[in-house]
Amino acid sequence: MTTPDARSGTGRPAELFFEDLVPGLTVDLGVVTVDADEMVAFARRFDPQWYHVDPELAAASRHGGLIASGFYTVSLFMRAYVDHLLSRAAADASPGLEELRWLAPVRAGDRLAVRVDVMGARPSTARPGLGTVSLTGTMLRLGPDDRPEQEVLRTRFRGWFAVRPVEADPAEAEAADSTPADADRPGADRPDGGPIAADPSSAGAADGDPTASGGSAEAQPHD
């Protein structure tokens, strides 16, 4: 059975882990074509400013026509990120983003090339078993010849990814299977079968410290 830590962002078995996302790696997230109806429907629902939803006002303005909501554009980036990377990687949540910039207007029919670059990676101090990966995402408008014409979006963010699970050593597993069944029974190695630990209720009584087993968690950075 595939454990949660070994599943991708879409729930399928993961093939990429924290160790695979090394600084300098670039991942092609494909090409997205902006759909006119979807672009306007998104704006009407979430960002109904006139230059996103009113064709006449937009045409008479300096924009020369409807332009996409920036949040629609970054949603297109997110979908490409999920489809082409998170669907393969052992992705956990994201602690957030540091930068989100809309560098040029996006219009219906635009073809946007999407990619993500790994800028840094280190084990997480807040989430054992995960690594923090720093990423830069970009979207570039393509011309008729499929060459990049202009960068329209840039974002910098971090993601948590599970470290690769350690497979059990077959020799150790075989040794464990051959261990006598009563080896783990309390008192099995004691002639009198007596207790092997002091009564927890008496712990600390000798030195007069009834709170010897207490403690407080230290705050940790959320990396």
Side-chain angles (χ1 to χ4, degrees):
M1 178 178 179
T2 303
T3 66
D5 287 345
R7 291 193 178 279
S8 74
T10 55
R12 296 195 296 268
E15 59 185 79
L16 297 175
F17 293 86
F18 167 71
E19 295 85 350
D20 301 308
L21 302 174
V22 297
L25 176 69
T26 295
V27 182
D28 181 357
L29 304 183
V31 176
V32 175
T33 300
V34 179
D35 180 85
D37 293 338
E38 182 182 71
M39 180 185 86
V40 175
F42 180 98
R44 286 177 177 159
R45 175 67 177 85
F46 298 106
D47 189 5
Q49 300 183 77
W50 59 266
Y51 41 83
H52 299 324
V53 298
D54 191 317
E56 293 184 2
L57 288 179
S61 73
R62 65 182 180 84
H63 302 295
L66 291 177
I67 61 174
S69 165
F71 291 99
Y72 173 70
T73 305
V74 76
S75 295
L76 293 177
F77 169 82
M78 188 66 205
R79 181 57 193 256
Y81 180 47
V82 171
D83 285 349
H84 296 279
L85 180 57
L86 299 188
S87 63
R88 302 166 54 209
D92 202 273
S94 168
L97 56 86
E98 288 80 42
E99 178 185 30
L100 175 57
R101 299 186 64 193
W102 298 297
L103 303 171
V106 170
R107 304 175 188 276
D110 280 353
R111 297 173 62 251
L112 308 175
V114 192
R115 80 173 192 225
V116 69
D117 295 282
V118 178
M119 310 305 292
R122 60 190 175 88
S124 172
T125 58
R127 299 289 189 274
L130 300 179
T132 302
V133 180
S134 299
L135 302 149
T136 295
T138 57
M139 301 183 82
L140 300 161
R141 181 170 28 247
L142 300 178
D145 57 358
D146 285 342
R147 293 185 179 181
E149 287 187 339
Q150 189 174 22
E151 186 176 10
V152 300
L153 178 141
R154 183 186 311 135
T155 181
R156 290 189 298 109
F157 60 100
R158 291 178 293 160
W160 281 322
F161 295 85
V163 300
R164 179 171 279 104
V166 177
E167 295 184 3
D169 187 329
E172 293 181 358
E174 183 177 350
D177 290 341
S178 63
T179 302
D182 64 348
D184 294 330
R185 179 169 55 85
D189 59 348
R190 299 175 59 85
D192 59 359
I196 60 175
D199 183 349
S201 64
S202 64
D207 60 6
D209 182 10
T211 62
S213 62
S216 60
E218 297 182 1
Q220 296 191 27
H222 295 285
D223 290 332

